C-alpha cells in the first residue's frame, strides 16, 4: 500500500470524540474566555482528571496542590492549557495496540515535545505549535500498527536489529510513518504548518517551503539519539552546529543546561496522562 492508498483507509484512522473536538476548537479560539474553557473541560471527566494530575506533577506543580479546573487554568495559562488539552485528547483517541508499550511510546513522545518547545522559544517559532507537533509526530507508528499489524511487527524487528527505520518502512510499506501521522493531523484539522512539520520531520531539507517545525523535530530526535555520545564540554557547540545544518537560527546560550533539566520530564508527564 502506497501513501495514496492510505486515503482508502481514512475511516480506520482514530476520530476525535465530538466533545473533545469541540474542546480543541474552543482552546484554539483566541477569543474564548477562561470561563468558557473551564466549563467545557469540566464536562469531560477524563480530560479534567488528566489536567489536574499534570498541573500537580513535578514538572508543573508548585507548593500548593491545585484542586479545580478553574485554578488549573489560572496556574497554567492559556498556552500551556491548550497544549495539555491537545495531548490529553490525542492520548484518549489512540487505542491500546498489541506489541507497542504505550508508556515508553508516550514518554519518548513527550520528551520530543518538551525539547521542541524549548528549541522553538529560542528560534522565534511558536512554542505551543512545536509542542503539539511533538505530540503527533510519531503517531503514524500506532496507526500503521492498527492498519498493517503484520508489517508493523516486521518494521519493529528490523529497527531492533539496527536497520534504518525510514528505509525499512519504504521497503515494507512503500511510505514512511510520518506521512500517516501528517494525514491524521490533517484529518483532525490541525494547521498546515503543523502537518508539514510532521510530514518532513525525517527529511526537513525536502520541505518546500522550508519548515521550521520539521527542523525542530529533527533536532529534538538528534538530542535524544546522540546527547549521551557527545562530550559535555562539546554539547553547546554541537547544538549550534546541528541547528545551522538544519537552517535554524537559534540562541544556544544556556540551552545545554535547560536540556539537562528537561531530560526524563517527558516520561513523568506521560505517567500523569496515561
Amino acid at each position: 500500500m502506497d501513501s495514496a492508498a492510505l486515503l482508502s483507509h481514512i475511516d480506520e484512522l482514530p476520530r476525535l470524540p465530538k466533545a473533545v473536538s469541540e474542546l480543541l476548537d474552543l482552546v484554539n479560539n483566541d477569543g474564548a474566555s477562561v470561563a468558557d474553557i473551564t466549563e467545557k473541560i469540566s464536562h469531560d471527566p477524563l480530560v479534567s482528571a488528566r489536567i489536574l494530575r499534570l498541573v500537580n506533577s513535578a514538572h508543573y506543580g508548585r507548593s500548593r496542590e491545585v484542586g479545580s479546573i478553574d485554578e488549573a487554568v489560572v496556574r497554567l495559562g492559556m498556552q500551556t492549557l491548550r497544549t495539555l488539552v491537545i495531548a490529553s485528547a490525542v492520548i484518549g483517541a489512540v487505542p491500546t495496540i498489541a506489541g507497542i508499550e504505550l508508556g515508553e511510546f508516550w514518554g519518548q513522545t513527550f520528551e520530543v515535545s518538551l525539547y521542541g518547545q524549548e528549541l522553538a522559544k529560542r528560534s522565534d517559532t511558536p512554542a505551543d505549535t512545536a509542542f503539539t507537533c511533538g505530540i503527533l509526530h510519531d503517531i503514524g507508528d500506532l496507526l500503521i500498527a492498527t492498519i498493517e499489524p503484520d508489517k508493523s511487527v516486521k518494521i519493529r524487528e528490523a529497527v531492533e536489529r539496527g536497520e534504518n527505520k525510514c528505509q525499512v518502512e519504504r521497503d515494507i510499506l512503500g511510505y514512511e510513518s510520518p506521512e500517516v501521522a501528517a494525514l491524521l493531523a490533517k484529518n483532525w484539522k490541525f494547521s498546515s504548518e503543523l502537518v508539514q512539520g510532521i510530514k518532513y520531520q525525517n527529511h526537513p531539507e525536502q520541505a518546500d517551503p522550508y519548515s521550521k517545525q520539521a527542523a525542530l523535530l529533527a533536532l529534538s530526535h538528534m538530542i535524544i539519539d546522540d546527547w549521551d555520545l557527545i562530550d559535555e564540554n562539546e554539547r553547546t557547540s554541537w547544538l549550534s552546529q546541528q541547528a545551522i545544518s538544519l537552517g535554524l537560527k537559534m540562541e544556544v546560550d544556556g540551552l545545554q543546561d535547560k536540556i539537562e533539566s528537561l531530560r526524563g520530564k517527558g516520561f513523568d508527564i506521560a505517567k500523569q496522562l496515561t
Side-chain angles (χ1 to χ4, degrees):
M1 185 194 310
D2 60 22
S3 58
L6 287 173
L7 293 172
S8 66
H9 288 255
I10 194 69
D11 290 336
E12 296 179 42
L13 301 182
R15 294 183 180 275
L16 291 178
K18 185 171 184 276
V20 173
S21 181
E22 291 174 351
L23 178 57
L24 286 178
D25 288 341
L26 191 61
V27 299
N28 283 317
N29 179 0
D30 292 334
S33 69
V34 171
D36 292 335
I37 293 171
T38 55
E39 180 184 6
K40 194 72 175 178
I41 291 174
S42 297
H43 289 164
D44 191 316
L46 286 177
V47 172
S48 297
R50 288 189 183 113
I51 288 175
L52 287 175
R53 287 201 304 270
L54 192 51
V55 75
N56 288 308
S57 70
H59 183 64
Y60 291 102
R62 302 292 188 274
S63 58
R64 185 170 60 84
E65 183 171 310
V66 172
S68 70
I69 291 298
D70 297 64
E71 190 178 354
V73 172
V74 174
R75 173 74 63 83
L76 292 171
M78 284 301 300
Q79 179 174 308
T80 300
L81 178 71
R82 181 181 292 117
T83 58
L84 296 186
V85 168
I86 291 170
S88 178
V90 171
I91 287 174
V94 175
T96 300
I97 298 170
I100 294 182
E101 208 290 294
L102 288 181
E104 176 71 17
F105 175 86
W106 288 118
Q108 288 279 2
T109 293
F110 278 104
E111 290 283 299
V112 169
S113 295
L114 290 175
Y115 295 156
Q117 184 179 51
E118 180 62 29
L119 297 172
K121 293 175 184 176
R122 294 165 173 269
S123 57
D124 194 28
T125 309
D128 54 342
T129 301
F131 188 93
T132 304
C133 215
I135 292 298
L136 290 167
H137 84 285
D138 257 355
I139 204 169
D141 291 341
L142 302 184
L143 299 179
I144 290 168
T146 301
I147 297 170
E148 300 274 18
D150 293 339
K151 292 180 179 179
S152 175
V153 171
K154 291 180 181 178
I155 291 168
R156 293 199 299 274
E157 289 175 346
V159 171
E160 288 173 2
R161 293 194 299 268
E163 297 184 43
N164 180 272
K165 184 182 178 187
C166 297
Q167 186 61 54
V168 170
E169 288 179 339
R170 287 195 296 270
D171 291 343
I172 294 178
L173 298 169
Y175 56 88
E176 295 178 26
S177 53
E179 294 180 57
V180 195
L183 179 63
L184 180 67
K186 184 177 181 180
N187 195 39
W188 282 358
K189 301 179 182 178
F190 282 100
S191 69
S192 58
E193 176 188 12
L194 188 143
V195 171
Q196 288 295 93
I198 292 171
K199 182 175 181 179
Y200 291 103
Q201 60 181 288
N202 292 336
H203 312 287
E205 74 284 354
Q206 295 179 10
D208 186 16
Y210 174 75
S211 170
K212 275 190 177 181
Q213 295 298 340
L216 291 171
L217 283 175
L219 182 51
S220 296
H221 268 287
M222 289 178 186
I223 292 170
I224 286 178
D225 294 340
D226 299 336
W227 193 253
D228 288 332
L229 304 176
I230 309 298
D231 185 285
E232 63 180 66
N233 295 318
E234 301 294 331
R235 286 172 179 164
T236 296
S237 175
W238 178 84
L239 285 165
S240 180
Q241 292 169 8
Q242 301 311 313
I244 291 170
S245 73
L246 291 165
L248 290 168
K249 294 181 180 179
M250 183 177 297
E251 175 56 59
V252 297
D253 287 348
L255 181 55
Q256 177 177 338
D257 290 340
K258 184 62 179 180
I259 289 173
E260 289 288 356
S261 72
L262 289 174
R263 297 188 78 202
K265 292 287 181 64
F267 288 91
D268 292 339
I269 292 177
K271 288 177 184 176
Q272 300 298 325
L273 290 178
T274 56

